[in-house]
Amino acid sequence: MERLEIKKNIQKPEDQNLSFRAFDLTQSNLENYFEPHKKDHFCIFLVESGEIGLQIEDQKIKLNAGKISIIFPEQISFITKASSDISGKIILFEEILFCSDILKNELLSYNVDLATHLNCVFLSPSEFEQSKKLAVDIENVYLDPSLVRKEQARFYIKIFLLGLIELVHGQHPVLQHESDKTIYIRFKKMLNERYKTERTVQYYASKLAITTKKLNNITKKHCDETAINAIHNRILQEIKRLLLFSDLSHKQISLELGFSSPSALNKFVKTKLKETPTELQEELAQIYNR
């Protein structure tokens, strides 16, 4: 699978010293995105008119006027269709430009399933106009960069993103109770780090110094699933990625994800999805390997 690198996207000499790009959203500027790929940078599609069909991981997304999609680095994606009247803006930028440490520290409570929520954002007309103005400001700097103007672009991009983060935070609020919110965030962070080796609710509850019942209540309130389902869904997400986008055998995948054997992997997938890993692999291939 191709991995698109921003440093190789050179449209003009100045691009070699720029950590962002900004273009009009046209069919010609979308040519590189019609095959499944990963990016080493953020990609923003802002749609003014027309329609784009997007596949991001296992999500099918329809973008039309007033919608914005942010694709995060390393997310697997491709465009399924783009109407002839498509218009808007494309903004690409390196992760360091936004400083993702902001989300890991000051804005930790906002960073719950953030990538999923930002993959498709619908704005009110006034909110969209504000975002569009910032996109135009970013493009103007890109077309005529200078040392000072590049710093301006950095702030424009941060303002753009923080505005969308605040918006989706309101649409998908985390828990009202502050202590519950902190526990849920800690659980999700711990799960992402340890899902390959730790798969019991008891383990995470003990590390969070709460009961399993309390952890289940928190996950149900926030994402309408039990803690064990949250654990299993995280494992399934990685199984899908490895089945489709790695050259690993089923035996190697089972070892990579801490299963005792390929038959244990097969049983897990069959129980959760009512199909075998091979059937799942074929189903996913129909989506991505067209």
Side-chain angles (χ1 to χ4, degrees):
M1 178 189 301
E2 189 174 7
R3 188 170 185 267
L4 303 181
E5 299 179 22
I6 195 169
K7 68 180 181 181
K8 294 182 179 179
N9 189 332
I10 304 296
Q11 307 291 325
K12 51 188 175 60
E14 296 94 332
D15 288 354
Q16 297 182 26
N17 299 313
L18 290 177
S19 54
F20 70 99
R21 312 280 187 268
F23 316 105
D24 285 335
L25 178 56
T26 63
Q27 285 193 326
S28 61
N29 282 333
L30 292 175
E31 286 180 359
N32 292 332
Y33 302 135
F34 281 91
E35 295 298 327
H37 63 276
K38 292 182 178 181
K39 303 178 183 70
D40 71 347
H41 52 278
F42 284 89
C43 173
I44 299 174
F45 295 129
L46 182 150
V47 180
E48 291 185 65
S49 65
E51 185 178 301
I52 293 177
L54 262 178
Q55 183 82 35
I56 304 178
E57 301 285 346
D58 56 359
Q59 283 193 91
K60 292 183 183 296
I61 294 170
K62 183 170 74 172
L63 294 180
N64 46 29
K67 288 185 177 179
I68 294 176
S69 177
I70 301 180
I71 303 172
F72 279 55
E74 304 307 322
Q75 281 193 314
I76 300 159
S77 68
F78 68 92
I79 291 174
T80 58
K81 63 178 180 179
S83 64
S84 58
D85 61 339
I86 193 69
S87 70
K89 298 296 177 187
I90 302 173
I91 299 171
L92 313 176
F93 63 93
E94 293 181 1
E95 191 168 7
I96 193 171
L97 193 71
F98 176 57
C99 184
S100 58
D101 283 346
I102 292 174
L103 291 175
K104 296 174 184 176
N105 299 304
E106 292 92 333
L107 298 180
L108 179 62
S109 65
Y110 286 65
N111 194 17
V112 177
D113 300 325
L114 185 62
T116 302
H117 294 154
L118 288 177
N119 283 162
C120 184
V121 183
F122 181 76
L123 288 76
S124 69
S126 62
E127 290 165 341
F128 185 79
E129 284 303 313
Q130 291 175 13
S131 295
K132 177 182 169 183
K133 182 181 183 305
L134 282 167
V136 170
D137 289 338
I138 295 165
E139 184 179 27
N140 287 338
V141 174
Y142 171 71
L143 294 173
D144 185 22
S146 68
L147 189 59
V148 172
R149 284 168 62 78
K150 283 192 287 186
E151 284 301 307
Q152 288 179 323
R154 181 192 299 270
F155 284 106
Y156 290 150
I157 289 171
K158 285 185 179 181
I159 293 168
F160 185 101
L161 287 176
L162 291 171
L164 291 182
I165 290 169
E166 176 66 22
L167 177 65
V168 300
H169 183 67
Q171 294 174 348
H172 306 276
V174 284
L175 304 178
Q176 296 298 316
H177 196 282
E178 192 67 26
S179 63
D180 284 355
K181 178 174 69 176
T182 302
I183 290 170
Y184 182 78
I185 294 165
R186 289 175 59 203
F187 168 65
K188 292 289 285 189
K189 184 175 184 294
M190 197 184 305
L191 177 58
N192 281 328
E193 294 170 350
R194 307 181 192 182
Y195 69 92
K196 291 183 181 181
T197 57
E198 304 297 342
R199 303 184 178 181
T200 66
V201 178
Q202 179 61 48
Y203 171 83
Y204 293 101
S206 65
K207 289 295 180 182
L208 295 167
I210 59 174
T211 65
T212 55
K213 182 178 179 181
K214 173 74 170 177
L215 181 55
N216 270 316
N217 287 339
I218 290 172
T219 57
K220 284 179 181 177
K221 287 178 185 176
H222 177 72
C223 57
D224 198 28
E225 64 179 1
T226 63
I228 193 63
N229 279 339
I231 295 168
H232 287 171
N233 287 337
R234 181 63 186 89
I235 298 166
L236 278 172
Q237 181 185 56
E238 202 62 25
I239 289 172
K240 290 177 181 179
R241 286 177 174 173
L242 292 175
L243 282 173
L244 190 54
F245 301 113
S246 77
D247 296 323
L248 300 179
S249 66
H250 290 184
K251 180 179 180 179
Q252 290 170 317
I253 290 174
S254 65
L255 292 173
E256 170 70 16
L257 297 181
F259 288 94
S260 58
S261 65
S263 61
L265 171 69
N266 187 85
K267 182 179 179 181
F268 177 80
V269 174
K270 187 79 172 177
T271 300
K272 301 302 292 185
L273 300 178
K274 311 302 180 189
E275 57 186 345
T276 66
T278 299
E279 291 168 338
L280 174 60
Q281 194 168 24
E282 291 172 353
E283 178 185 312
L284 293 169
Q286 290 179 4
I287 298 174
Y288 284 96
N289 301 330
R290 301 164 299 157

